[in-house]
Amino acid sequence: MVGMDCRMLGLDTRKSRSRPRWPLRHFSNRRAKTVNLERSALPQPTVSCQNPSTILGMLGIGMHRLIIVGAGLLSIVATASAASAADLAARPYSKAPPVVAPTYNWSGFYIGLNGGSGSSQNCWDLTGIGLIGGPVAPVTPAVPEGCHNATGGLVGGQIGYRWQASSWVFGLEAQGDWASLKGYNFSLASATGVFGVGVTNQTKIDAIGLFTGQIGYAWNNVLWYVKGGAALTNNNWSGITTATGITRAQATEARWGGAVGTGLEFGFAPRWSVAVEYDHLFMGSGSFSFTSVTAPIFVTRTDSIKQDVDMGTVRVNYTFGGPIVAKY
């Protein structure tokens, strides 16, 4: 405040040109007498705005009072700051939302294609010999003619429905495949001369069908399952003259049996999955009459044929439904 203009503080150091009056009342005479005092007669103080104490004195404030006031202001500010900080509620802790993991859903109708290979074991036993124009003479006991494996490829499709409960998956499926399984062996019975010539027995399977139920366990988009149900094979059996390769007699049959299998399926994209599967078909045994294919037409023989089928396929399925669901 050194060098401060006194006028900034509202102080006027000029001498007043007017002569103020101070009324002095004398109550002893019950009469007021006004005494005019000349200001010039009074000693005039010299005001210096260069001295801070002088200014503070003119303001009526002592240095010690200024210190006390300043300390009070600081205390008020500190208290207000503390109160404001206390009034600010601590930010509540909020737990991060749980991560939503996408989970593959195996439920829904599906359709797909499959392809692979198969092998069918067929064992023949001669049970009767046909005579031209006569009855079939039974062969007792049956004479084994040997076994052979009919192998080849197959391709087809499947359609089904699955529903999922937690990690367990249940389903029903129908599968049909065009097959080209073929195999043959030389008949051991013909070595006895019963046929008069050497005969080769041949098996062809041109179609396979499966009608199964499924139960599986899923690890997200990986499903392992087992299946079981009914199986159907369409067979064509032939007796061929070994020396010439000419078919002598034939028999056909659509045979029903049982099937069990297992597979591992992987969901590689929304609604799309690929699987590898193995199935074993228990087709059992059946007796058939072979009819000659050239004149004269007659039953040349009867046989009992036991059949089993093993097949492995790669499958691609498309599921109609939402394959991805949110799971917490």
Side-chain angles (χ1 to χ4, degrees), residues 208-257:
I208 298 175
L210 301 177
F211 305 91
T212 56
Q214 296 181 0
I215 181 171
Y217 191 86
W219 295 268
N220 197 8
N221 62 327
V222 177
L223 172 66
W224 172 73
Y225 61 89
V226 294
K227 59 190 294 186
L232 175 67
T233 58
N234 193 62
N235 304 284
N236 188 329
W237 290 291
S238 302
I240 302 171
T241 302
T242 304
T244 62
I246 297 174
T247 300
R248 291 166 48 91
Q250 288 183 329
T252 60
E253 179 205 24
R255 177 179 293 193
W256 286 91

Side-chain angles (χ1 to χ4, degrees), residues 1 24 30 59 73 99 117 131 144 208 212 227 247 320 322:
M1 298 179 61
L24 300 177
R30 298 182 180 274
L59 294 174
L73 291 175
V99 177
S117 62
L131 302 175
I208 298 175
T212 56
K227 59 190 294 186
T247 300
F320 297 91

Side-chain angles (χ1 to χ4, degrees), residues 76-200:
I76 292 173
V77 171
T79 303
S81 299
S84 299
D87 291 339
L88 293 176
R91 178 178 297 177
Y93 172 76
S94 59
K95 186 178 180 180
V99 177
V100 179
T103 300
Y104 202 89
N105 183 12
W106 293 95
S107 297
F109 288 97
Y110 65 91
I111 189 170
L113 299 174
N114 71 79
S117 62
S119 176
S120 173
Q121 185 181 50
N122 298 268
C123 295
W124 298 37
D125 293 327
L126 180 64
T127 59
I129 296 294
L131 302 175
I132 297 176
V136 175
V139 176
T140 305
V143 178
E145 297 188 63
C147 302
H148 59 262
N149 290 323
T151 60
L154 47 87
V155 62
Q158 62 274 347
I159 185 172
Y161 179 79
R162 287 173 174 153
W163 60 97
Q164 183 171 356
S166 184
S167 295
W168 294 96
V169 180
F170 306 90
L172 295 171
E173 182 183 271
Q175 173 179 338
D177 290 274
W178 292 277
S180 180
L181 307 186
K182 182 179 179 180
Y184 52 88
N185 71 286
F186 181 75
S187 173
L188 300 179
S190 65
T192 64
V194 66
F195 299 131
V197 294
V199 173
T200 297

